[in-house]
Amino acid sequence: MPRDTLTREQIVKTAIDLLDDEGLEGLNMRALGKRLGSAATAVYWHVGSKDNLITLAGDEVWQQIALPDLATTDWRTAATQMATDLHAMLTRHSWLVQAFGSYMIFGPGKARHDDHGLAIYEAAGFTGAQADQAAATVFTFILGNALVPAAAASFTKKLGRDGGNAEALMHESMAKAHEIAAQFPRLRARLDTAVADYATAPDNTFQFGLQAILDGLEAQLIAFGH
Amino acid sequence: MPRDTLTREQIVKTAIDLLDDEGLEGLNMRALGKRLGSAATAVYWHVGSKDNLITLAGDEVWQQIALPDLATTDWRTAATQMATDLHAMLTRHSWLVQAFGSYMIFGPGKARHDDHGLAIYEAAGFTGAQADQAAATVFTFILGNALVPAAAASFTKKLGRDGGNAEALMHESMAKAHEIAAQFPRLRARLDTAVADYATAPDNTFQFGLQAILDGLEAQLIAFGH
DNA sequence: CGTCCCACTTGAACACAGTGCAAGTCGCTG
DNA sequence: CAGCGACTTGCACTGTGTTCAAGTGGGACG
């Protein structure tokens, strides 16, 4: 058999593609092996375990995020830009949000990102623990915001894998949720408009929340005398 | 064999106990069967599938959250109280945050909670889509905030299940993270204090973020003329 | 009081996933 | 050219979700 047909980078890259296509539950070593054109078990020599592979893939995509230049950008613009980039990345790789709940994903890529995030809030005027907290607030908001779409994507893919008519099952599931929501006055009142709003501009809620949070952080800065 | 030994409520309750003890990956049908004192497959008759069981368990714990009386509480106090309750619940049942990424968890329990959340922000003065967005901002922040501790808990339990010395593996993992962080100036500067801060008051970051967000929402209210 | 029905339980069995292992198979080095 | 060792492979084991055919016993009905 040919030698040196696999490299760790190639495996991680292919795993990311597979994860993007099939979701976190769709990644298994045999499918990955098939995509790589090699035996499933060959992967183990390069990455050790599936857990480790996911950790590597998770950290890799963090490198895709651009870091704004703080010398030429005011902190709020930089914060918005970095947050929006992260949001886009998590939307592109929705499996990462799920993986975040089950694996400890921390490597050079995320460290680089975290460090720059901290720099932004230090530039804004936060010091010590407060800079941490400000950065964590924005970060966790983005993470949580990405979780619900990630679940939806995962659910859709699962229906697709189970064969059969995913269409009908999805419709049934939506109908059930609709029925439950209809029993609560405020949810019922917003049911149709909420779906329509989300369909036309899914990122509205994200931008609304992000700007509210940044407003709040600015208020904290002023309160602490800046 | 005795009849009527199992009920759906009992199964869901036991599943929640098991999930609390062992985490999401620790829940499997045979272990659940053992805890129930019955065959693993008997559960299927009552709940249909593992996915459905998790959906049921996930919705059940939502009922635990108290809903503040909006007639006697101003909106900001109510919002803080409900957010803190939710945060505590997600900390108690950290598997729920993980499950949120892989299953569509929406039932009467969550609907009840969402409806009351919406009521708070309508009471504050938000209308229509803005009330949705305000509620979603707070909710997703809490969710994201719970995700990292959930991952840590899951990781610890996984090490425990893999037998051997979880202690040593955990230590090694922390050391590696420490080493990576040390290569970035701002992370390095905050490494020790961050760990210490978290150890003494893990909820500080949560409360800081929550109040910042509520500040931001208040600012939005004023900006839109209230 | 007997008997039949069916709600409920059970154990065996299947499919598939992660992974350890022993046996290769080449390319490079001496 | 011989052998070492970096890589690859197929087999097989374990654990997990789930299906299914075969019970089993409590209550309803005659």
Side-chain angles (χ1 to χ4, degrees), chain B residues 6 11 38-47:
Chain B
L6 291 178
I11 290 173
S38 68
T41 51
V43 173
Y44 281 87
W45 195 89
H46 294 275
V47 301

Side-chain angles (χ1 to χ4, degrees), chain B residues 139-224:
Chain B
F139 178 74
T140 55
F141 164 70
I142 299 168
L143 209 55
N145 193 72
L147 197 56
V148 175
S154 170
F155 186 67
T156 308
K157 278 170 183 141
K158 184 185 299 184
L159 289 185
R161 260 196 310 282
D162 283 359
N165 44 0
E167 195 81 15
L169 285 174
M170 181 56 106
H171 192 277
E172 179 192 348
S173 168
M174 293 293 282
K176 191 155 70 175
H178 204 282
E179 188 186 334
I180 292 170
Q183 296 181 302
F184 294 85
R186 277 163 287 262
L187 294 185
R188 185 176 53 234
R190 296 244 351 101
L191 259 182
D192 300 315
T193 47
V195 172
D197 288 352
Y198 185 79
T200 53
D203 286 357
N204 270 0
T205 297
F206 171 70
Q207 284 299 335
F208 173 93
L210 179 60
Q211 296 308 322
I213 290 174
L214 295 178
D215 284 349
L217 291 177
E218 257 182 67
Q220 300 263 345
L221 279 175
I222 294 165
F224 282 100

Side-chain angles (χ1 to χ4, degrees), chain B residues 102-142:
Chain B
S102 303
Y103 306 88
M104 297 282 276
I105 294 179
F106 182 80
K110 179 157 191 298
R112 160 186 170 274
H113 177 269
D114 287 356
D115 191 69
H116 206 72
L118 211 47
I120 288 179
Y121 298 98
E122 286 182 356
F126 290 103
T127 56
Q130 294 224 327
D132 272 358
Q133 293 176 341
T137 300
V138 175
F139 178 74
T140 55
F141 164 70
I142 299 168

Side-chain angles (χ1 to χ4, degrees), chain A residues 1 3 27-30 41 44 50:
Chain A
M1 291 289 124
R3 242 191 60 167
L27 173 70
N28 68 69
M29 302 308 264
R30 300 185 221 260
T41 51
Y44 281 87
K50 184 183 180 183

Side-chain angles (χ1 to χ4, degrees), chain A residues 136-147:
Chain A
T137 299
V138 175
F139 179 73
T140 56
F141 164 70
I142 300 168
L143 209 54
N145 193 74
L147 199 54

